[in-house]
Amino acid sequence: MVAGKFKLQIRMNRVEGKTAIITGGGSGIGGASSELLAAEGANVVVTDIRGEAAQKTCDTIQQRGGSAISMQQDVTNQDRWGEVVSETLSAFGALDVLVNNAGISGASSVPLEETELDAWQGVMSINLDSVFLGCREAIKAMKGSGGSIINVSSVMGMVGGAPAAYNASKGGVRLLTKSIAVYCGTYGYDIRCNSVHPGYIWTPLVRNAIEFVDEIETEDDLMQMLVEKHPIGRLGTPDDIAKGVLFLASDDSAFMTGSELVIDGGYTAI
Ligand SMILES: NC(=O)c1ccc[n+]([C@@H]2O[C@H](COP(=O)([O-])OP(=O)(O)OC[C@H]3O[C@@H](n4cnc5c(N)ncnc54)[C@H](O)[C@@H]3O)[C@@H](O)[C@H]2O)c1
């Protein structure tokens, strides 16, 4: 290499040979993360409560020559977690990366004062309990060999402004992540655990919230309202977040654990 000049390297192998489980991989951020990790050499296990959606992502990866299998999984079911990890170990021999991505918005037209406990607990179960279950199962599988756990939180895990249960669940994911990072370090497990905090990404989770936003009638109006909250002047794409997931999954982030990777177009800078 000539001194003072960088050699341009096209890298397509940042997670070569690693095996990754991605929950909620049938859509949006989970779908893009599954595709990018596979393109960078990982064996990908795509799971989703909608088994056919997970299979569709898997088909896309395989058509591009990548390595993937799909599994139907409701992330709130603890027995299913055991099966998903054990089937992953049978298929690929190891688990190196877990992306706890599945989630719901909890958007509702019911005001906070009238929200039923069941509705609150439903959001907590999918957005937070599931992350505990996934981390618990992944630690069992990774503690001898090491690994990287990536928990998809949100800017709404850092600031208020969403339905209360969503805010609380994503704040919980943020600190659960740090707790797990410290726990694994304390016990000498070579397992890193980091959270990702996306700004608004134009996925079904956001688009479907339109019916609950007063004074917004069209998707264009909703998008415009949200764009104005992002100094960068646009919403994020699933690929914007997938690139952060790839970084945390790869050894490029080897010195990161218990960290918050904020990918938000400046949302939290205001
Ligand atoms: N879209 C955004 O603006 C945004 C911003 C910040 C954080 N996030 C977070 O990113 C993650 C992915 O969101 P997205 O925007 O890609 O949404 P999405 O709706 O496009 O995808 C979510 C996927 O999760 C699956 N899912 C839902 N409940 C499940 C369950 N119980 N078990 C298994 N799978 C289940 C759905 O079937 C769907 O395929 C979520 O955790 C979300 O909170 C999204």
Side-chain angles (χ1 to χ4, degrees), residues 19 45 69 71 82-95:
T19 296
V45 179
I69 58 174
M71 295 184 203
E83 292 165 3
V84 164
V85 169
S86 118
E87 285 170 35
T88 298
L89 296 176
S90 301
F92 296 117
L95 175 63

Side-chain angles (χ1 to χ4, degrees), residues 140-161:
K140 288 184 209 164
M142 290 174 175
K143 65 185 181 184
S145 49
S148 172
I149 300 173
I150 300 148
N151 296 328
V152 181
S153 176
S154 170
V155 288
M156 292 303 162
M158 312 179 87
V159 296

Side-chain angles (χ1 to χ4, degrees), residues 247-270:
F247 170 64
L248 290 175
S250 78
D251 296 339
D252 288 348
S253 58
F255 194 52
M256 283 179 74
T257 195
S259 291
E260 301 155 15
L261 184 55
V262 180
I263 311 174
D264 73 349
Y267 186 99
T268 53
I270 298 175

Side-chain angles (χ1 to χ4, degrees), residues 64-78:
R64 294 173 185 164
S67 167
I69 58 174
S70 76
M71 295 184 203
Q72 195 279 339
Q73 178 192 23
D74 178 348
V75 289
T76 66
N77 180 328
Q78 64 175 329

Side-chain angles (χ1 to χ4, degrees), residues 19-39:
T19 296
I21 296 174
I22 294 105
T23 69
S27 177
I29 293 168
S33 299
S34 300
E35 289 175 24
L36 185 58
L37 289 176

